[in-house]
Amino acid sequence: MALSSLEAQMKELFETYDTDKSGFIDMNELVKFVKEVGDKIGEPIPESACEGIMKDFDTNSDGKLSFEELSPILMKVVPKLVIKSRTKALFDSYDTDKSGFIELNEYKVMVHDLLKKLGIEKKFDENEYAEKLQQWDKDNDGKLSYEECEKEFENILSKLDK
């Protein structure tokens, strides 16, 4: 039986952190997993939580986590990693000058493209684009960082996926 996409991604993530290729995640690998994955999904987890994670999920008390034992955690983090990856790729696709920001000219292209993908026919004039950008621009610097776009992109991607 073929693995589902989620299962395959879970297995890949597990194998990434099973650095000694033992088929298990030991405490050192768990510490790295928790730190890096927590940071990637924007939910930092203190290293001190690793002992509790090991205790709670190591069902056979062998001091290491099998894929099956870590699966409940993987099932929660893999979709979050996928969403982060997709929102970052969307941001990067419109940050055409690779400045790390979406400026007004890039924003215009982005809005036009995304509305078209959503099946919405709408035209904006220059002032309307500037006003719309300002609504997303939390720090009022006239450009959008990834962090300022992230939640809106998650909403847009969920609509495009339907």
Side-chain angles (χ1 to χ4, degrees):
M1 184 171 106
L3 292 177
S4 72
S5 177
L6 176 60
E7 289 172 309
Q9 291 169 327
M10 288 168 51
K11 192 77 170 158
E12 183 180 335
L13 184 61
F14 181 89
E15 290 170 355
T16 298
Y17 289 93
D18 177 18
T19 55
D20 63 3
K21 305 303 177 209
S22 66
F24 298 94
I25 300 291
D26 64 28
M27 185 57 84
N28 291 331
E29 293 164 332
L30 182 62
V31 167
K32 185 175 182 180
F33 170 84
V34 164
K35 166 111 179 73
E36 291 179 6
V37 172
D39 288 348
K40 284 179 185 176
I41 65 173
E43 298 175 16
I45 301 165
E47 188 176 319
S48 60
C50 290
E51 282 185 32
I53 292 169
M54 185 65 78
K55 181 177 177 259
D56 292 344
F57 291 92
D58 182 16
T59 56
N60 63 359
S61 302
D62 62 357
K64 55 192 176 186
L65 298 173
S66 66
F67 175 74
E68 290 74 22
E69 290 171 323
L70 195 59
S71 287
I73 294 172
L74 294 170
M75 286 182 74
K76 289 182 180 181
V77 300
V78 166
K80 291 178 182 184
L81 289 169
V82 169
I83 290 168
K84 287 281 186 184
S85 173
R86 290 181 67 206
T87 58
K88 183 68 171 125
L90 184 60
F91 179 88
D92 290 345
S93 73
Y94 290 107
D95 178 20
T96 55
D97 65 2
K98 305 301 176 209
S99 66
F101 297 94
I102 294 178
E103 289 95 4
L104 184 58
N105 59 330
E106 296 163 323
Y107 181 77
K108 290 180 200 176
V109 172
M110 180 187 80
V111 168
H112 178 266
D113 288 354
L114 293 175
L115 287 176
K116 188 174 180 182
K117 287 178 184 177
L118 291 167
I120 300 170
E121 294 288 328
K122 180 110 171 101
K123 300 270 187 208
F124 295 108
D125 64 30
E126 287 297 314
N127 290 336
E128 288 174 310
Y129 277 114
E131 287 171 14
K132 293 285 182 198
L133 183 137
Q134 197 171 27
Q135 290 173 2
W136 288 26
D137 184 14
K138 305 295 183 222
D139 62 6
N140 296 312
D141 62 357
K143 55 190 175 187
L144 302 175
S145 66
Y146 170 71
E147 292 75 19
E148 290 171 317
C149 295
E150 185 176 16
K151 288 292 179 209
E152 292 295 334
F153 282 176
E154 286 178 18
N155 293 335
I156 290 166
L157 288 169
S158 72
K159 290 176 184 171
L160 289 174
D161 289 343
K162 290 183 180 176

